[in-house]
């Protein structure tokens, strides 16, 4: 008799698991949410970050730029998932991390551009100094005769 009770209990539990699996698909699982869901409208913070991110330039030949871009995409995807799930504090943390990386990239990129600009200016000033020196040397060799 106890043996039949065990079999009956096992069948009831198995049937309940099958029913929950069929009808409850996605209701109990958080992992079903995707950041690629186009029907969901994201928060203004995410939209603002994506706008700033779209304006940034990356030189993908440079490893540091490639890594920054990958980190930005990762943090952005995590923020989108947190927004879909309604986790505002996590969304804000991921956006803050992404914003810090973007701000660092823009400051470094601007510095790199300024250093390249300064190097170009230095080369141009050296070239100008050389031209001026050559002109002065020529005028010293061939003095200009003036009538007084």
């Amino acid at each position: 008799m106890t043996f039949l009770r065990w079999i009956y209990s096992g069948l009831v539990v198995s049937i309940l698991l099958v029913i929950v699996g069929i009808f409850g698909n996605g209701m109990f699982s958080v992992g079903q949410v995707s950041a690629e869901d186009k029907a969901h409208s994201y928060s203004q913070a995410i939209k603002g970050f994506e706008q700033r991110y779209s304006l940034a330039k990356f030189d993908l030949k440079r490893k540091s730029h490639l890594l920054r871009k990958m980190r930005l995409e990762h943090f952005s995807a995590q923020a989108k998932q947190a927004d879909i799930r309604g986790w505002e504090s996590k969304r804000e943390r991921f956006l803050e991390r992404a914003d810090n990386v973007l701000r660092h990239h823009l400051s470094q990129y601007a510095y790199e551009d300024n250093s390249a600009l300064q190097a170009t200016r230095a080369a141009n000033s050296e070239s100008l100094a050389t031209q001026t020196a050559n002109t002065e040397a020529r005028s010293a060799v061939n003095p200009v005769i003036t009538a007084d």
Side-chain angles (χ1 to χ4, degrees):
M1 193 59 117
T2 57
F3 181 71
L4 290 176
R5 194 178 314 159
W6 279 100
I7 290 176
Y8 177 70
S9 298
L11 286 174
V12 169
V13 169
S14 298
I15 291 172
L16 285 174
L17 287 175
V18 169
I19 290 173
V20 167
I22 291 172
F23 295 115
N25 191 14
M27 290 183 183
F28 303 111
S29 178
V30 178
Q32 297 292 325
V33 178
S34 172
E36 301 301 322
D37 187 11
K38 302 295 181 194
H40 188 278
S41 178
Y42 298 113
S43 71
Q44 286 299 102
I46 292 176
K47 290 177 183 177
F49 171 76
E50 286 186 336
Q51 183 179 11
R52 289 189 308 276
Y53 173 68
S54 67
L55 298 175
K57 297 177 184 173
F58 294 92
D59 182 10
L60 298 181
K61 295 175 187 168
R62 301 182 64 187
K63 188 175 182 178
S64 61
H65 288 228
L66 178 64
L67 290 174
R68 284 182 198 142
K69 184 174 173 130
M70 288 172 55
R71 288 186 69 201
L72 286 169
E73 290 171 353
H74 170 73
F75 288 141
S76 177
Q78 292 293 329
K80 287 178 183 177
Q81 285 183 357
D83 190 50
I84 290 171
R85 294 175 181 156
W87 299 341
E88 293 178 16
S89 62
K90 283 193 174 192
R91 178 193 69 211
E92 294 304 319
R93 270 190 273 150
F94 284 123
L95 281 178
E96 182 181 358
R97 287 179 181 176
D99 200 37
N100 287 341
V101 172
L102 183 61
R103 206 171 327 123
H104 173 74
H105 174 72
L106 293 175
S107 69
Q108 292 295 317
Y109 190 68
Y111 175 74
E112 291 169 2
D113 282 352
N114 283 343
S115 65
L117 181 62
Q118 289 173 354
T120 304
R121 285 182 181 166
N124 288 341
S125 66
E126 286 177 11
S127 175
L128 182 61
T130 305
Q131 289 175 356
T132 306
N134 288 341
T135 304
E136 289 174 358
R138 273 189 248 132
S139 65
V141 172
N142 298 327
V144 176
I145 301 174
T146 58
D148 287 300

